[in-house]
Every structure is written in structure tokens, then in C-alpha cells.
């Protein structure tokens, strides 16, 4: 059965040792693992955090955070190297925390959250970006292999990345990287915007898929939006996907004019019932998809 | 029958007098109107453009372009006034071109295309933004009324605006504006990301809806993505929507790694067959939704 997880920023951001009680809360809500942003240096004591996870009986998947100074796609040498070193740092964190997957927009080139506007890209620069990503992922992939970790590149929507937005683009890159420790993840929030058919894309990803984020089209609780979860569950079963599925339903339900929807906000209500329902919903969806076979 | 239109940047950007032949081309593809970006001062001779439209037998709907110096939500007096003056300028252009609808993100506050990152907004600033938008839309609405023009505010996705992203937010604002010449439009591309249910939101918009953009979830040709057009057509018929429907399928089909999807690119192939098919598809969808009643 696929482990179901929840991102820590559902409750709090940034995450510090004062928030360790979130782990047992997640466990009691029915979640199997926490999706934790890779802690910046000094943000968390990793041994202590691992102990807190073990005490709560909770697994962990890591989500990498890139920016313009850690950007493997960048033409600036320092940013490119910064990106590679960061990926290796992520692998080290994973080892110390007992995580085996580091996912996220590892390919860099952030747009809206880095206050960058979409710009045209010349063909030679497009190819150069790809070459830089391939070299970086091969190098970081070796470190990952040494530590029993999988790196999972993530296509983001067109407003969050200008290099990697679709499953087909990810396959294009992975074919060039050709490294057993470098694979991909998919997030239905982004797929909803970029893929012609989410089930088709899942089937195309196939064995390359090592992590999955089950988010509603509007990033609210799974089951409250427009996503066809039955079709997605069946596609995941068809490719034999037994990996983790995490939820990030941190869009708060608030449609007053002027509330900025892309900006993270703290919860304004007790979300226990919704989180439990969404967790059960994903479990049930996957079980029923399995039963259909 | 709803007039079906196509945005001019499907073919070319920027649009100048050298491109007038696009009008008859659109007409021959089956479109009833062009959706034209409001020309900047001096970009087009408006009388000449109107004549070219009439010669081609094509209608017109205008799409406004805002930026940080024409931004009715802004706290900077100059930008706020610039936004109001721009909306009045749009109405003047509409009058001269024979258009009766000016739609778009009239509420300003652009994000990714203005290289702005989503930031937290304090509650007093949120209310102040709303007050500024209300005052501006009342003032521009009077100009619109004098010219027989409808202003249509447009919810954009969370990465393109931080004030107006959902149908519910639009209704919240319109209730406060309370002006017969200020209404709303909806674009299924943005709705796909932000609405829990597109048909429910269309029904909620009801008589406030004066313009509609029929775009696929990935902004490719309608019918090539994940949108449930049948359900959308039925909702539009249910609210008695007889207004224009325009297409903006300018995402080009190209999934090589590093191709920036949010950046406009010129067509790289003859799209005649796809455009004709998409136009017929929308016509048929609406007719069949009507027949179902």
C-alpha cells in the first residue's frame, strides 16, 4: 500500500525543533510520512530530528528548495556549482534523517517565487541549460547512489520554472542523464495545468516515477476540487507504483477580494477533520484502483 | 449563437497595420470576432483598423493590458490614477474601433509577468486595495456607460495576479462596485487552476458574465486537453449566456527540455486545420448544450 504523507508547512513554516509535536499529530491523523523541506544549515539538528521521527513512527521524504544562487541550469558558474553542492547537501541531509528520496525542482531556474518574468530563450541557450543540468544531475546522482538516495526531478507549472514543466520534458532530460539514482516525481497541481491528460502522463513516466504529490487543482484538500482521482489512481496502479504519495493542501479556503492565493498563509481553523478525510480518501482511491484490476 | 473569436497573438505580436490580412484569415477559418489587445497609443490607426475589420466582416473584443504603472489596486497615487486613465483610454479605443467589451485583468496587481513574487498582504492593505479598485471601477464605469461599453474584470491564476484569482473574489468586488457597466469575464485556463468546479462557478457568475475565454487547461487548442467542455457548455447555456467566446490557444506543442512554456512564441507550423477544428468544436459544444435543454 502506498505510504501517504503530508507536507510540514500544512501546519507551520519554518519548521524548527519546537514543532516536533507535529510528527505525532500527523501520525494520529493517519499519515505515514512527513514531507519536510530540506532544512537549511543550522535550522534543525538532524540527529535529534531523526530521533523525533522515529519516536513518532513517521517516515520522511525530503523536498529540496532551489533559488537563483543554487541553480544547476544557470550559466553563472557560481550558481551552477552552488546548485550541485546543494543537491549533494540534500543527499547528506537525507542520509542523516533516514530519508531515501529527495524531490523537487532540482533543475532550478525558478520564476515567480524568484521574481523572474518569463523571457524568450535562444536555442543554443536552451541546449546549454540542458547540458548543465545533465552534468549536474550525473554528479549529484553519484553522491545519491553512494548514499542509497533517489533524486526526483519535478516538473513545475510554467510560472514556477522555465526549464521543466511537463512529464515529457522530464523524460527528455532523464534520457540524457541516464543515471539509476536520478528519476522523477509528479505533482497533480502542476500536471493539472501542463498535461493534456494526467493518466497518460503517469503511464508515460512509468518506472521513472519514484515520488508522487497528490494535490487538488486549486491546492486545497484532495477531493474538494476538479481532479479525477479515480483515473489517476488507476494509472498509478497500472504502472505498478508503490511509492509515497504526499499531500500539500495548504491553500486556505478564503475568497475575499485581495487575498493573495499564491502566498503561503498559516491555517486559520482546525483542519483535523479535512486532513483525516483527505488521507482516507487517497488510501481508499488507491485500494479501489487496485481492486479493479 | 455565441460568437466565437480568436486572439490576434495566435498569429503575430505586436499587431500592426501590416497584419490586417489576419482579419480575413480569421473570418475564413470560421471566427466571428478578433480579440485584440488594446493598442498602445500610436500602435494602430483606429479608424483604419475599424475599416479593415468591417471589410473582413469581423467583430472585435478588446483585451486590456495592465502593468505596474497602470494599476488601480496600487497604493502609489500615480499608478492608481494611471490605471484609471488607462481604463478610460481603453473605453475610448473601444468606441473608435466599434467594440462593446473591454476585458482583462483590469484590477491590476500583476505578478509573474511584472517580475513580482507573491508576498503576504496585511488585512488593512487588502481592504485598501479593494477600496481603490472599487473607486477606480466606478469612475471608469461611468465613462464606459457613456460609451455603451462593458468593462469585464477577469480573475487570473494565482501567479498572474495577487488581488483577483477566483470567480468568488470577482463577485465580492462587483457587489461593492455595483455599476451596470462593470461586470466580469471568465477564462477556463485560469479557472482550471483556481475553481473547485468550473460549471458551479459559471452558474455563480450568472448574469454578471459578459465575456468568456475558452482555453484548454494547458492553453493549447480546445479539445486537446483535460477540460470537460460539455459540462462547461451546459453551465453557460443554463445561465443564458449568449455573449462572445474567444480562444487563445497559443501554447505551442513542444516539450523539449528548457522550452519556456509561459513565454509567447510565434507559430512554428500551419495551424489552419487545428484552428478550424477548435472553432467548430466550440460552436458544436454550445449547440449541443442548447439542444439538451
Amino acid at each position: 500500500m502506498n505510504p501517504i504523507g503530508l507536507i510540514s508547512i500544512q501546519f507551520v513554516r519554518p519548521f524548527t525543533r519546537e514543532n516536533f509535536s507535529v510528527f505525532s499529530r500527523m501520525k494520529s491523523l493517519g499519515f505515514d510520512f512527513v514531507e519536510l523541506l530540506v532544512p537549511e544549515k543550522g535550522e534543525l539538528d538532524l540527529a535529534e530530528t531523526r530521533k523525533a521521527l522515529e519516536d513518532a513512527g513517521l517516515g520522511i521524504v525530503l523536498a529540496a528548495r532551489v533559488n537563483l544562487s543554487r541553480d544547476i541550469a544557470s550559466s553563472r558558474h557560481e550558481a551552477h556549482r552552488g546548485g550541485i553542492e546543494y543537491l549533494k547537501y540534500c543527499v547528506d541531509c537525507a542520509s542523516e534523517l533516514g530519508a531515501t528520496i529527495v524531490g523537487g525542482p532540482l533543475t532550478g531556474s525558478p520564476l515567480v517565487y524568484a521574481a523572474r518574468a518569463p523571457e524568450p530563450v535562444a536555442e543554443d541557450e536552451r541546449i546549454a541549460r540542458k547540458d548543465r543540468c545533465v552534468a549536474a544531475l550525473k554528479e549529484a546522482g553519484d553522491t545519491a547512489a553512494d548514499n542509497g538516495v533517489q533524486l526526483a526531478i519535478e516538473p513545475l507549472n510554467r510560472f514556477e520554472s522555465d526549464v521543466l514543466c511537463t512529464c515529457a520534458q522530464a523524460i527528455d532530460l532523464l534520457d540524457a542523464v541516464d543515471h539509476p539514482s536520478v528519476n522523477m516525481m509528479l505533482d497533480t497541481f502542476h500536471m493539472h495545468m501542463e498535461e493534456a491528460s494526467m493518466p497518460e502522463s503517469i503511464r508515460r513516466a512509468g518506472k521513472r516515477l519514484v515520488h508522487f504529490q497528490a494535490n487538488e487543482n486549486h491546492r486545497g484538500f484532495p477531493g474538494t476540487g476538479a481532479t479525477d482521482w479515480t483515473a489517476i489512481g488507476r494509472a498509478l496502479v497500472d504502472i505498478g507504483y508503490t511509492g509515497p504519495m504526499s499531500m500539500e493542501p495548504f491553500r486556505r479556503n478564503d475568497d475575499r477580494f485581495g487575498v493573495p492565493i499564491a502566498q503561503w498563509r498559516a491555517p486559520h481553523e482546525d483542519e483535523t477533520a479535512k486532513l483525516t478525510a483527505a488521507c482516507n480518501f487517497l488510501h481508499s482511491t488507491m485500494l479501489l484502483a487496485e481492486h479493479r484490476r
Side-chain angles (χ1 to χ4, degrees), chain A:
Chain A
M1 209 160 84
N2 304 81
I4 309 287
L6 180 64
I7 193 162
S8 62
I9 67 174
Q10 188 68 26
F11 300 106
V12 66
R13 198 178 83 165
F15 188 90
T16 62
R17 67 193 306 276
E18 282 68 44
N19 309 120
F20 282 163
S21 64
V22 159
F23 295 153
S24 52
R25 189 162 159 208
M26 282 191 189
K27 184 73 180 179
S28 70
L29 288 168
F31 292 99
D32 304 302
F33 70 93
V34 59
E35 185 175 284
L36 197 67
L37 302 179
V38 172
E40 299 296 328
K41 272 171 189 149
E43 225 173 46
L44 283 176
D45 179 302
L46 300 183
E48 186 187 48
T49 308
R50 182 173 189 154
K51 173 77 166 49
L53 285 164
E54 286 168 356
D55 288 348
L58 205 67
I60 179 169
V61 167
L62 284 178
R65 298 184 263 191
V66 298
N67 57 43
L68 295 177
S69 65
R70 41 171 92 140
D71 178 2
I72 64 171
S74 176
S75 63
R76 294 184 304 114
H77 178 74
E78 208 173 322
H80 175 68
R81 280 307 317 171
I84 296 172
E85 294 311 320
Y86 178 68
L87 293 186
K88 293 180 179 178
Y89 166 75
C90 291
V91 170
D92 288 343
C93 287
S95 281
E96 293 195 49
L97 287 166
T100 57
I101 296 168
V102 175
L106 312 182
T107 43
S109 235
L111 278 176
V112 63
Y113 287 106
R116 280 177 65 227
E119 300 285 351
V121 175
E123 179 63 7
D124 56 350
E125 170 60 6
R126 183 190 72 77
I127 292 170
R129 286 183 183 178
K130 183 175 175 182
D131 290 345
R132 290 191 292 266
C133 285
V134 168
L137 287 169
K138 278 179 183 288
E139 182 175 339
D142 286 345
T143 306
D146 291 342
N147 288 272
V149 169
Q150 278 286 332
L151 295 177
I153 62 170
E154 178 183 14
L156 301 186
N157 70 77
R158 67 191 67 187
F159 302 116
E160 294 194 54
S161 169
D162 57 0
V163 290
L164 180 57
C165 301
T166 69
C167 181
Q169 287 181 320
I171 292 170
D172 180 14
L173 185 67
L174 290 179
D175 283 348
V177 173
D178 192 25
H179 193 296
S181 298
V182 184
N183 280 289
M184 72 188 286
M185 56 176 289
L186 289 169
D187 177 336
T188 48
F189 171 71
H190 303 294
M191 295 180 84
H192 206 84
M193 197 176 341
E194 303 301 348
E195 307 293 338
S197 159
M198 290 196 275
E200 282 176 19
S201 295
I202 289 167
R203 289 189 174 89
R204 211 165 287 139
K207 289 302 176 195
R208 294 176 179 95
L209 192 68
V210 295
H211 184 40
F212 193 78
Q213 287 172 336
N215 290 312
E216 205 39 276
N217 65 301
H218 50 35
R219 241 191 216 309
F221 294 94
T224 67
T227 307
D228 183 350
W229 292 107
T230 301
I232 286 170
R234 289 175 186 174
L236 288 169
V237 165
D238 284 353
I239 63 168
Y241 182 71
T242 55
M245 299 180 69
S246 60
M247 285 170 34
E248 308 168 315
F250 50 76
R251 168 169 175 178
R252 313 303 173 184
N253 217 356
D254 185 349
D255 280 67
R256 292 169 300 155
F257 180 83
V259 169
I261 294 181
Q263 170 62 36
W264 183 85
R265 285 179 300 145
H268 60 270
E269 61 179 358
D270 179 5
E271 295 176 331
T272 303
K274 293 174 182 177
L275 284 168
T276 307
C279 181
N280 290 340
F281 175 71
L282 284 186
H283 266 306
S284 307
T285 298
M286 293 308 293
L287 278 173
L288 293 165
E290 188 72 54
H291 283 315
R292 181 168 175 270
R293 286 177 72 83

